[in-house]
Amino acid sequence: MPIGHGARKESQRLFTEAQALIPGGVNSPVRAYRSVGETPVFYDRADGAYVWDVDGNKYTDFVGSWGPMILGHRPAAVMQAVADQLTRGTSYGAPCEAEVILAEKIVSLVPNIDMVRMVSSGTEATMSALRLARGYTKREKIIKFEGNYHGHSDALLVSAGSGVATLSIPGTPGVTEGTAKDTLVARYNDLDSVAALFAAHKDQIAAIIVEPIAGNMGLVPPLPGFLEGLRTLCDDNGTVLLFDEVISGFRASLGGAQELFGIQADLVTFGKIIGGGFPVGCFAGRADIMKCLAPSGPVYQAGTLSGNPIAMAAGIATLSELAKGDGAIYKRLDAKGALLKQGLKDAVSGSDIQACVQSLGSLATIFFTPGPVTDWQSASLSDTELFSRYFKLMLRRGFIIAPSQYECLFVSDAHTEEDIIAFTSAVKDVLCEL
Ligand code: KE4
């Protein structure tokens, strides 16, 4: 019987049923816990920093739905906004005031953007932003980075991070040679690898897409000069710089990575937090680029549920909470992130385990490799077998973390200092057990 936690019979029963009906028993691969060799936890409910599984076990949650739950689960302001909208309908397929309000909020809070287009996922946001960059530049090739994940659109599944890396899927079947040939792959934090691609494909590169803070090979911050170098290469080559801020947007700071690092992107994608837990993504940028989008321009993009009023209401309430007190919440999140980082570092140094801790604000990863981890090559040296043993022992202690070495710990405003100290104390015990 696992320590401190009941058996998970209901999760096991549901998982058996689910596998007969849903490929792998899940609607997103990483949730299947394949890489950690566990039966996935089926959630029954969530509140604040905690989740309860269908067997009644309580966990402190450091996944936070993979980033959206920066306020914690069921924040009162978001619940109220959604309840109010429910009295007025759930989907219109027509413009509504909430879309204008959320667009205005995003434009006012994020530097260097004039216009926004709402979609229903991060995948849709990056896929659409790249089509827009290609239409705007009239070029075909794009540059992405090994270990960066931008959702599952064909062009971006080349050398991707997150679940693709976790499941060691090579080139994904179904992505045609014709598509893959236009996706060039560089090494994160390695400007020479980017410059070499520009030299080999002069005047052919529409966009560079980058996670300005990489979160899909574990947490890998940009080295000093990396983002600045990408900006210069894009300026020198007439290429669009696209920051994929689906994770870092409204998390790294109120203005995201552009604000945190003072780097201007040409297009930015968001997801997760801006939907407050509802399916929302968006892409945004300078007016001259965005106006190429239909119906104001020829680049087509559309969506039945784009700008869904319930999702807009949740997003407005979430960003309003984050903007309160001129972003005072980020000081709290940074302080909790620092407490987490120090506690994890102490846990690692107090053990014989070869590991390193990398963090930025309210994001962190323990890599089971000495590190430093600056790119996919160094991230992939991690001992994923050791990670899976760590994952299982933490689960039995009542802590839910992402079931992959190549993801992050997400801290929310609902986590207390006690929650974080309890977590890092458990990590210390577990590392000594491994
Ligand atoms: P979605 O289509 O999953 O909403 O967003 C895709 C996406 C785009 N860009 C970045 C930087 C992302 O991190 C993501 C999705 N993140 C993963 C977790 N690292 C989603 C979890 C999952 O795939 O189940």
Side-chain angles (χ1 to χ4, degrees), residues 8 75 150 179 184 202 310 319 384 405:
R8 290 188 278 118
H150 307 290
T179 299
L184 309 173
K202 189 138 185 62
I310 300 280
L319 298 196
T384 52
Q405 169 69 87

Side-chain angles (χ1 to χ4, degrees), residues 67-418:
M69 302 288 99
I70 193 167
L71 299 176
H73 292 284
R74 298 187 63 250
V78 176
M79 296 298 102
Q80 188 57 56
V82 169
D84 292 350
Q85 176 57 44
L86 281 171
T87 65
R88 298 197 303 278
T90 59
S91 181
Y92 303 142
C96 65
E97 183 183 13
E99 294 172 277
V100 181
I101 294 171
L102 186 53
E104 193 282 327
K105 243 178 211 316
I106 293 170
V107 168
S108 67
L109 294 174
V110 177
N112 315 314
I113 63 171
D114 304 318
M115 304 186 91
V116 173
R117 171 59 62 90
M118 293 293 167
V119 293
S120 298
S121 70
T123 293
E124 252 195 291
T126 57
M127 173 184 72
S128 307
L130 281 177
R131 181 184 312 133
L132 175 61
R134 284 170 157 153
Y136 173 73
T137 60
K138 298 180 178 48
R139 295 176 179 179
E140 295 188 356
K141 297 202 181 298
I142 61 167
I143 292 176
K144 77 173 289 291
F145 293 89
E146 255 187 314
N148 275 195
Y149 178 74
H150 307 290
H152 63 89
S153 63
D154 284 5
L156 291 169
L157 278 180
V158 178
S159 303
S162 187
V164 179
T166 302
L167 299 173
S168 307
I169 296 176
T172 302
V175 176
T176 65
E177 275 305 306
T179 299
K181 71 175 175 43
D182 286 333
T183 301
L184 309 173
V185 181
R187 190 167 183 170
Y188 198 76
N189 277 321
D190 178 347
L191 287 170
D192 291 344
S193 70
V194 184
L197 292 174
F198 275 107
H201 302 275
K202 189 138 185 62
D203 299 334
Q204 298 174 48
I205 297 169
I208 292 179
I209 182 169
V210 64
E211 290 182 54
I213 299 165
N216 288 293
M217 44 182 157
L219 193 278
V220 180
L223 293 175
F226 176 60
L227 297 178
E228 295 81 351
L230 295 184
R231 178 69 270 168
T232 302
L233 283 165
C234 284
D235 292 341
D236 295 350
N237 290 279
T239 294
V240 168
L241 180 56
L242 167 47
F243 273 11
D244 177 358
E245 296 222 45
V246 168
I247 286 182
S248 60
F250 299 100
R251 182 170 284 275
S253 77
L254 193 52
Q258 285 191 102
E259 180 180 88
L260 187 69
F261 297 119
I263 305 277
Q264 179 168 341
D266 302 309
L267 288 175
V268 194
T269 52
F270 298 103
K272 298 180 191 279
I273 288 170
I274 64 164
F278 286 81
V280 180
C282 85
F283 54 111
R286 297 196 325 249
D288 63 317
I289 302 179
M290 295 298 285
K291 284 182 176 171
C292 296
L293 267 181
S296 46
V299 179
Y300 196 71
Q301 181 277 328
T304 301
L305 294 172
S306 297
N308 171 272
I310 300 280
M312 295 297 101
I316 293 164
T318 299
L319 298 196
S320 300
E321 289 298 300
L322 292 172
K324 272 182 181 170
D326 196 20
I329 191 172
Y330 294 94
K331 292 186 180 63
R332 298 199 295 271
L333 287 167
D334 287 347
K336 291 172 187 176
L339 183 65
L340 176 66
K341 178 180 180 179
Q342 192 53 56
L344 293 177
K345 282 180 176 290
D346 293 345
V348 169
S349 58
S351 77
D352 300 328
I353 297 294
Q354 293 288 306
C356 68
V357 176
Q358 298 192 172
S359 81
L360 194 153
S362 55
L363 298 168
T365 296
I366 301 183
F367 288 96
F368 285 85
T369 180
V373 176
T374 58
D375 54 23
W376 171 245
Q377 283 72 16
S378 45
S380 62
L381 297 176
S382 300
D383 184 337
T384 52
E385 168 52 35
L386 207 50
F387 175 86
S388 64
R389 283 164 48 205
Y390 154 72
F391 173 88
K392 286 181 223 187
L393 289 170
M394 290 303 291
L395 192 66
R396 281 159 180 69
R397 280 169 169 72
F399 297 98
I400 282 202
I401 62 177
S404 163
Q405 169 69 87
Y406 306 121
E407 300 286 358
C408 297
L409 292 164
F410 293 89
V411 178
S412 80
D413 199 37
H415 286 90
T416 63
E417 285 192 6
E418 290 72 23

